[in-house]
Structures are given as structure tokens and as C-alpha cells.
Amino acid sequence: MIDNDGRFSYSSILSFDNSARLSLSIHPNPAKEIVFISSSDVSLVNTRVSVTDAVGGLMIQQVISGFPHFINIEKLPAGLYHLRFSNGETLKMVKEK
């Protein structure tokens, strides 16, 4: 880093560990009857996943009991949905006829 007066100094070396962000995935997508949620983030076990429609209406809410977790979407109308997780992540899902 160079200061305004032209002097410079080195900062201590820091590291950044991005492994804490564990990804979620759903399959199949698009789906007709059932979607499976997979994750290695065990902190999501015993938390809620919410399925909302394109305008934010709550369609399904379940407690994740473990992974893989499945959600029966057979009774939902065809369209775009969001799966919202307690860690703040949101995944998009398409329901087919």
C-alpha cells in the first residue's frame, strides 16, 4: 500500500476461506411431480424451506429433515417458483404440466 506521502508498507498476509458457503441444488428442474434438494450444509437440517410463487405467495412450507430432501409439487400449477431457505439462499424452480 502506498501512502499519500509516497511511503509504502506491507500488510500482514490474510487468507479468505470461501468453503463456508455450501451450495444447494434441486433436481430435476424443470419438474412435474417431485423435486429433490441436495446440500452438504448440515446447518439447514431442521430448518424450513418455503416454496413461493412468482408474486411471493406461499405455496408449500416444510421442515428439512435431512438431505436429500424431497418436495411433492404435483398439485402446484405450472409456472415459476422460488425455494427460499433459512440461510438466505433462494433457488428458482420451474413446474411443468
Side-chain angles (χ1 to χ4, degrees), residues 2 5 8-9 24 28 40-41 53 58 62 67 92:
I2 299 177
D5 62 4
F8 67 91
S9 63
L24 284 157
S40 56
D41 187 352
D53 62 16
L58 181 63
Q62 292 183 351
F67 293 108
K92 292 180 182 178

Side-chain angles (χ1 to χ4, degrees), residues 3-89:
D3 292 335
N4 288 337
D5 62 4
R7 292 186 295 166
F8 67 91
S9 63
Y10 294 100
S11 62
S12 59
I13 298 173
L14 301 176
S15 66
F16 178 74
D17 182 8
N18 197 24
S19 64
R21 181 173 168 91
L22 301 171
S23 65
L24 284 157
S25 64
I26 58 173
H27 58 278
N29 191 15
K32 292 183 180 183
E33 298 175 359
I34 294 177
V35 292
F36 293 90
I37 303 170
S38 300
S39 179
S40 56
D41 187 352
V42 295
S43 70
L44 290 173
V45 174
N46 295 322
T47 63
R48 294 190 187 276
V49 57
S50 301
V51 179
T52 58
D53 62 16
V55 294
L58 181 63
M59 305 302 287
I60 298 172
Q61 191 171 60
Q62 292 183 351
V63 174
I64 298 171
S65 57
F67 293 108
H69 181 79
F70 75 92
I71 300 175
N72 185 336
I73 60 167
E74 186 174 19
K75 294 182 181 179
L76 294 177
L80 176 67
Y81 295 89
H82 294 91
L83 281 76
R84 301 180 190 279
F85 298 88
S86 62
N87 67 353
E89 287 192 59

